[in-house]
Amino acid sequence: MTERSANGQNAHGQNAHGRVGTHPGDTGHFGAFGGSFIPETLSAALDELRACYESLEGDEEFWCELDDLLANFVGRPTPLYRAIGLERSWGAGVGSPKIYLKREDLAHTGAHKINNSLGQALLAARKLGKKRIIAETGAGQHGVATATACALLGLDCVVYMGLEDTHRQALNVFRMRLLGAEVVAVDSGSKTLKDAINEAMRDWVTNVDDTHYILGSVLGPHPFPKLVRDFQSVIGREARAAILEREGRLPTHLVACVGGGSNSIGLFHPFVQDEGVAMIGVEAGGEGIASGRHAARFAEDRVGVLHGTRTYVLEDEHGQIRETHSVSAGLDYPAVGPEHAMLHDMGRVEYHSATDAEALEAFQECSRLTGIIPALETAHALAEAKKLAACAHSDDLIIVNLSGRGDKDVQSVSRILGEAP
Ligand SMILES: *Cc1c(COP(=O)(O)O)cnc(C)c1O
């Protein structure tokens, strides 16, 4: 795991500076996964983006400006909060482990997504020289984060969103419009995230000269999975520094939910070389794996290509991408980031799932026991932390990535719990 290549990078693409995990000639493969399966018309844009990304290494001016915005616009570093309330209730009394929450919910716009949107928007404005941004969004979180970054930097912004999702998330559509973005409702296929990505890619092919596509997770063709990971790794770098300062040692466990996989890889990446740190990614178990209605890609053993990358996917017996299901829109996607696929096959990260019911329970318990209403996505990670705490040792030190706040979910949860006004 510490094998070094000629250019001084290790197998995980970390180098001395630790901000840019790619190098010239990198084809974006993670073992047997990743790569770039794209139409010919996009290859010039991806080559340009890859060259630009590589040039960021050692670009002091770019990182200084980004760090300044992360501090003063986003509010970083986000706190690392020790959740005594969860320890008391979820731990086994005297033998209770410590549980820390990395508070990405306190980042501007309420989740980790702004780390990536802002990084890529700055890249477009300062390095690619592109004034028009497009993005896809499911529940609207990535759309809102991207519209925010574009408003800040004076960029035009078009967000593609499935028609079905624009109805379910009407408030986020209004938010994006307030921020100056144009929201395009996609009326094809299942009218959800998958179709929004197809439409965004179609736009990019046509307008590639003046347009950058800000992909929202560690998905898609090279260099997106690495680029997004590098912008999200600020989470893990901060968590590492904070826990060393507070506890004088590394955590024993990291826990994060996995949709496309960006908040989890952001937390995990700076710890991958630390063999004593166990990592658990939590997928959406929906109505249970046996029901077939879930979004747990690692629960089934199928590898395929979706949206330009080779990875674990959910598909039917004919190889068609399947409908997924989760109570949380942000985890409801049929593929997972290719780096996760590699970490899974290496056995470096364990992937578990939490059902809708378990997530709803953790959502309510976290609210009541800590005073923090988590996002439903995050509640999946908390459900896993609860299971872990029940059988942990007293010297265990668990960090859970609190990927986002739950304000966006209170209405749907109230409906599910039958307490809607
Ligand atoms: C979008 C989202 C997720 C899932 O996306 P990842 O790329 O897997 O991080 C998780 N939590 C929150 C709060 C989100 O908004």
Side-chain angles (χ1 to χ4, degrees):
M1 268 181 21
T2 52
E3 184 188 341
R4 302 246 158 208
S5 60
N7 57 23
Q9 295 196 338
N10 58 39
H12 299 282
Q14 288 166 322
N15 55 28
H17 306 283
R19 306 238 14 193
V20 176
T22 191
H23 56 83
D26 187 344
T27 52
H29 285 88
F30 300 93
F33 306 101
S36 186
F37 298 82
I38 46 147
E40 191 61 35
T41 38
L42 276 185
S43 64
L46 286 165
D47 284 348
E48 180 189 26
L49 180 61
R50 188 176 38 72
C52 181
Y53 168 42
E54 284 163 9
S55 78
L56 289 184
E57 185 63 54
D59 188 336
E60 289 300 323
E61 207 179 316
F62 178 84
W63 294 111
C64 271
E65 186 173 8
L66 182 59
D67 285 346
D68 177 65
L69 291 173
L70 287 174
N72 299 308
F73 183 73
V74 176
R76 305 204 71 90
T78 59
L80 188 68
Y81 168 67
R82 184 171 165 202
I84 309 259
L86 297 183
E87 291 174 11
R88 284 210 190 103
S89 182
W90 291 354
V94 197
S96 168
K98 287 181 180 167
I99 303 176
Y100 281 88
L101 305 176
K102 178 62 174 157
R103 301 287 309 275
E104 291 302 293
D105 59 313
L106 294 178
H108 182 43
T109 68
H112 67 289
K113 292 217 166 66
I114 189 76
N115 302 327
N116 169 51
S117 293
L118 185 59
Q120 286 201 53
L122 195 67
L123 189 75
R126 303 283 185 264
K127 298 285 147 190
L128 292 165
K130 295 186 174 179
K131 287 262 321 156
R132 181 174 179 267
I133 297 295
I134 55 172
E136 84 293 341
T137 198
Q141 298 305 106
H142 174 58
V144 168
T146 302
T148 300
C150 289
L152 172 73
L153 296 170
L155 301 168
D156 295 335
C157 181
V158 177
V159 179
Y160 288 93
M161 190 171 187
L163 183 63
E164 187 68 35
D165 291 332
T166 61
H167 295 146
R168 287 193 289 206
Q169 299 289 337
L171 217 50
N172 272 340
V173 173
F174 182 61
R175 251 182 215 119
M176 289 184 263
R177 290 186 174 143
L178 270 180
L179 292 161
E182 180 192 341
V183 180
V184 178
V186 177
D187 194 11
S188 58
S190 55
K191 303 175 189 184
T192 59
L193 177 62
K194 182 161 63 69
D195 314 288
I197 297 181
N198 289 339
E199 211 48 44
M201 286 197 164
R202 210 161 293 147
D203 178 318
W204 205 25
V205 168
T206 323
N207 300 297
V208 71
D209 287 342
D210 70 341
T211 299
H212 175 59
Y213 177 20
I214 300 189
L215 196 65
S217 191
V218 286
L219 296 162
H222 180 61
F224 283 112
K226 291 195 174 194
L227 180 68
V228 177
R229 175 202 66 196
D230 290 347
F231 286 135
Q232 290 294 0
S233 292
V234 66
I235 302 171
R237 283 197 306 274
E238 287 176 6
R240 202 171 199 287
I243 200 75
L244 285 173
E245 192 184 313
R246 297 271 285 280
E247 296 286 343
R249 63 188 173 115
L250 290 174
T252 56
H253 298 79
L254 302 176
V255 182
C257 63
V258 184
S262 68
N263 86 85
S264 49
I265 210 80
L267 176 66
F268 295 169
H269 189 64
F271 294 91
V272 164
Q273 308 292 319
D274 303 304
E275 282 173 32
V277 181
M279 302 179 185
I280 304 165
V282 189
E283 299 184 285
E287 293 171 8
I289 303 304
S291 73
R293 286 174 54 75
H294 60 82
R297 290 72 39 116
F298 291 118
E300 298 181 13
D301 200 19
R302 284 181 177 269
V303 170
V305 170
L306 184 64
H307 295 135
T309 194
R310 184 167 189 276
T311 185
Y312 281 79
V313 294
L314 282 175
E315 54 184 22
D316 63 21
E317 66 274 24
H318 307 297
Q320 296 298 313
I321 295 299
R322 225 167 65 202
E323 292 274 300
T324 51
H325 171 82
S326 171
V327 69
S328 75
L331 303 185
D332 204 354
Y333 180 72
V336 64
E339 189 164 10
H340 285 286
M342 178 187 76
L343 293 167
H344 170 268
D345 281 16
M346 288 167 66
R348 180 63 188 93
V349 178
E350 272 183 44
Y351 294 85
H352 299 177
S353 62
T355 62
D356 288 351
E358 289 169 330
L360 283 165
E361 185 181 273
F363 178 89
Q364 295 171 80
E365 290 187 14
C366 178
S367 302
R368 198 174 59 239
L369 295 168
T370 68
I372 301 165
I373 301 176
L376 271 177
E377 291 84 2
T378 313
H380 289 70
L382 291 162
E384 174 68 27
K386 181 180 179 178
K387 294 176 205 169
L388 198 58
C391 54
H393 303 286
S394 58
D395 55 355
D396 280 353
L397 191 53
I398 303 169
I399 297 181
V400 183
N401 201 14
L402 206 91
S403 57
R405 65 177 186 225
D407 303 46
K408 66 182 179 61
D409 296 314
V410 289
Q411 202 175 15
S412 68
V413 172
S414 76
R415 220 179 290 125
I416 293 166
L417 299 178
E419 290 177 19

